[in-house]
């Protein structure tokens, strides 16, 4: 053992010649064949398995984020595969690199706003303070509004319903909705809670730190990007995409 | 539409102002709150939802691949976060880039061997031919044996049991086991089916192309790497890892 | 042109069946055999070839950033190659992902401070305002001081000398040095201009936007990381690095 | 030193509190202000500084690879920046991931063919054997021919002229040209040495291992991709590119 340094170990996993332990559970005896992929993700993030209600809500968030068609990151994945067909992992990594401030970042920003709001205070007052502080600083409020003008994002209503049905419609969901109402009044235009705002609120109800919320988008989209690689291998779009750009 | 080119569209997903469609299903009405993350991954890869049996087997494969502690790719993720703490997605992408030929590639190679074996022939003869052709070319047979000498990998037995319990112990599982037996005889040492071999065989039973099998490792590990980023943010190991290298 | 959209073109480069144009120059006639790699980088960033003096100063900055031994990003590159030996580009990309806020970001922050300081004002007053505003906000001042206590970073003196010898010791270099002096006084400890501060000041003299300064680190380090891949292929350190972590 | 393990060190670089050594040279005293970026890259790859002739030839190769306009990898970089504007390094890494088998790989394959040809044998016979073995295996010969039918790639002639003028027109250049002539005869169509073939031949003359040739493309293109990020920050094309895809 080197120079008295501290032990390097992770609570996430470790293995010996005979067993693999993940978050305190035995991979073979406790997990394989018993735990679903979504619940495994919850286990990794929270350090314990979810209750059935937590599982329903967490999986609902995660599946929302898997697939959105030919997004910039899916196109980056396909163009990367075009140049490096030997590396599935490289093409997926290229797509993940686009899950930054514009997409994953808005979930993170909304979750941070909610989680940093002091507990125990009147939610309507908090919403007013949040909207006013963003407005006076000319900052966008993450989690509300949508580039395509529409009354409401159907994903938000669905996610809030799943959360409510499972007992996770607490103060973060309430605060997110009050922020939307307050902003709609303050800006004089419809600013409904969008999908990222709903995900941020519901993830906060599940006790997931705002710092990790972008990670839910990253893990979910990794699944979608693998499927884009598979489709691109079978029926490539890369050449046609490039010909459009060179027009 | 530009220059008479073919329509650029993906069967995976598309959206309009009112709805998001994923693999032919309505995201809001058919998926959120109804489909788990693992089943969503199956949907993305196979184009349809799994049966309960397929779901059990697919999720068993996927959770096996999520977490293995401080692997090279987890360490790469943590060292990348050390230099770029602002980019969760960059740290996860760095770790995914290590899911190449050494790890994910062995699943791919084993699945390819199984899927390219002509259907309808005697499995024992096929196993003999496969072992002999690798042996005479001095090539490693993917999916059998393990660097740490042990009688058998407990993950393999568990995965084969889950597959059998759900009716997915077909010709690919049989062939993988016969290859192990034949190789053990030919090389005169214990060469049991390892975890990558079991995953390759069971994924083949589920109708997943060998070209996509590496992708299951990539999507599963993305989940684990997000958790490593979260842990590194809360209790960093990067500095201690670096001090060991500089010893 | 499709659908009335604007023309998609880059001033950086374009090609026809007969010629390749880069920043307005003919690649074959004007560049190959006539322009060095460092001057090509200047051409790409500034849109014109450098004068001999600009070339001397730009190349001095760039070579400073190529190689620093077994840094976190070099280790990430080597561990990525360990898992994916088939992908040189993936290993280099993994290392580049670590060129974030901790390293490249400090050049960027220092250059931004210098470039956003109003021209025409008294440099000593500017330095005082900059130090005071960071101090009262408990923010680190980028570009000065060094974790290993030393009187001065020899790279800084050398870079400032090269700049002065070529007529690029103007107001940004002066301001950087005054910030160091002012901070040394204000904090009561030696806070010399470090290598990132010198690079930031000299790059600013060359008219490179602070937004692109991190890019000089990225392009230079890409060269070093390719060499780490080559060395790792020939004399691997990955296994020994991993064994230290598992100690 | 931990546990009796071997010393972890790289010949590329190391540092103490007082000095940074790169490939045996003192960074401050021997390199900054004296060595250009291209010569630094040669130093990193070959372990010594180039002669003036080697420098001329190496820089000629490298600058050829920096910029080709809106290639798939440049588009991937721009789309990644669109989603993650906070991470210059992530956008560059995404573009580098596309420098795989289709582009960098053809340089590698051509250089390997040349370097694995036995020295001392008659070059014309070697060329015949190489063309015949590829032809009978229905394999493409790397380094010759071009998708856009043209008599010759002007970059090849220029690179060969620079090499000849500097005394680097040896057996690898001769063999590459003989392969082109032999293939043109065997296939009955013009198959001139293309840019990747010329680069492969000239890099081989410089003593660069075929395993590292893809790395020259990666390091050169990293420079170009930084410039694409800078241009995209100032005059974004990402939105227009996406609108073309969604047509």
């Amino acid at each position: 053992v080197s120079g008295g340094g501290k032990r390097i170990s992770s609570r996430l996993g470790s293995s010996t010649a005979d067993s693999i332990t993940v978050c305190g559970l035995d991979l073979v005896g406790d997990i394989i064949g018993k735990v679903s992929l979504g619940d495994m993700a919850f286990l990794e993030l929270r350090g314990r398995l979810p209750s059935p209600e937590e599982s329903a809500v967490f999986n609902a968030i995660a599946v929302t984020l898997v697939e959105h068609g030919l997004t910039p990151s899916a196109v980056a994945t396909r163009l990367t595969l075009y140049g490096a067909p030997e590396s599935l992992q490289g093409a997926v990594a290229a797509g993940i690199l686009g899950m930054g401030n514009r997409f994953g970042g808005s979930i993170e920003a909304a979750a941070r706003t909610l989680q940093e709001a002091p507990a125990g205070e009147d939610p309507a007052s908090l919403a007013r303070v949040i909207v006013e502080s963003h407005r006076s600083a000319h900052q966008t409020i993450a989690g509300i509004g949508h580039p395509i003008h529409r009354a409401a994002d159907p994903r938000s209503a669905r996610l809030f319903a799943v959360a409510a049905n499972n007992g996770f419609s607490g103060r973060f969901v309430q605060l997110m909705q009050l922020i939307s109402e307050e902003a709609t009044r303050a800006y004089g235009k419809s600013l409904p809670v969008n999908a990222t705002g709903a995900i941020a609120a519901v993830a906060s109800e599940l006790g997931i730190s705002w710092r990790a919320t972008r990670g839910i988008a990253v893990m979910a989209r990794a699944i979608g990007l693998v499927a884009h690689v598979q489709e691109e291998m079978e029926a490539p779009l890369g050449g046609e995409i490039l010909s459009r750009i060179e027009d």
Side-chain angles (χ1 to χ4, degrees), chain A:
Chain A
V1 176
S2 93
K6 68 173 184 186
R7 184 99 177 76
I8 296 186
S9 67
S10 162
R11 71 157 179 81
L12 295 168
S14 59
S15 57
T16 66
D18 295 320
S19 72
I20 297 169
T21 304
V22 176
C23 297
L25 300 178
D26 179 59
L27 177 63
V28 171
D30 300 330
I31 294 176
I32 299 176
K34 297 183 177 164
V35 174
S36 75
L37 186 64
D39 290 4
M40 183 81 180
F42 186 96
L43 171 66
E44 286 271 297
L45 288 178
R46 291 296 316 276
R48 62 168 176 79
L49 288 170
S51 70
E53 292 76 20
E54 287 171 324
S55 172
V57 176
F58 182 79
N59 277 279
I61 293 174
V63 299
T64 304
L65 291 159
V66 167
E67 178 63 63
H68 292 258
L70 292 170
T71 58
S73 76
V75 175
T77 283
R78 288 168 182 266
L79 293 179
T80 302
L81 192 75
Y82 182 88
E86 77 279 14
S87 179
L88 179 147
Q89 73 271 13
V92 173
I96 282 174
L97 289 171
M99 302 298 290
N101 279 354
R102 185 185 281 255
F103 303 109
S106 63
I107 303 174
E108 190 179 280
R112 183 176 190 173
T113 298
L114 297 175
Q115 292 179 22
E116 291 187 342
E121 294 199 12
D122 172 51
S125 310
L126 284 173
R128 264 195 305 279
V129 169
I130 289 165
V131 171
E132 269 322 297
S133 65
H134 281 80
R135 207 184 173 200
S136 60
H138 301 285
Q139 286 180 326
T140 304
I141 304 174
I144 59 173
H146 198 277
I148 305 169
H149 195 286
R150 56 163 80 140
D153 188 316
R155 292 172 293 180
S156 305
R158 182 81 184 115
L159 285 167
F160 285 146
V162 172
N165 291 343
N166 286 282
F168 283 95
S169 194
R171 74 180 184 94
F172 295 117
V173 168
Q174 187 190 14
L175 181 54
M176 193 74 238
Q177 288 170 328
L178 287 168
I179 290 170
S180 159
E181 288 167 25
E182 182 64 31
T184 295
R185 191 158 39 234
Y187 290 93
K189 62 176 177 179
S190 172
L191 290 167
V193 178
N194 59 32
T196 60
I199 289 166
V202 177
S204 298
E205 297 289 343
L206 290 172
I208 293 166
S209 161
W210 63 265
R211 285 182 185 82
T213 49
R214 180 188 301 218
I216 305 176
V218 166
M219 61 172 66
R221 194 56 60 86
I223 293 172
L225 292 170
V226 168
H228 279 273
V229 169
Q230 181 180 257
E231 191 182 63
E232 185 73 16
M233 284 172 167
E234 291 165 2
L237 299 175
E240 176 63 16
I241 289 171
L242 290 170
S243 77
R244 299 273 180 105
I245 295 166
E246 288 156 2
D247 257 6

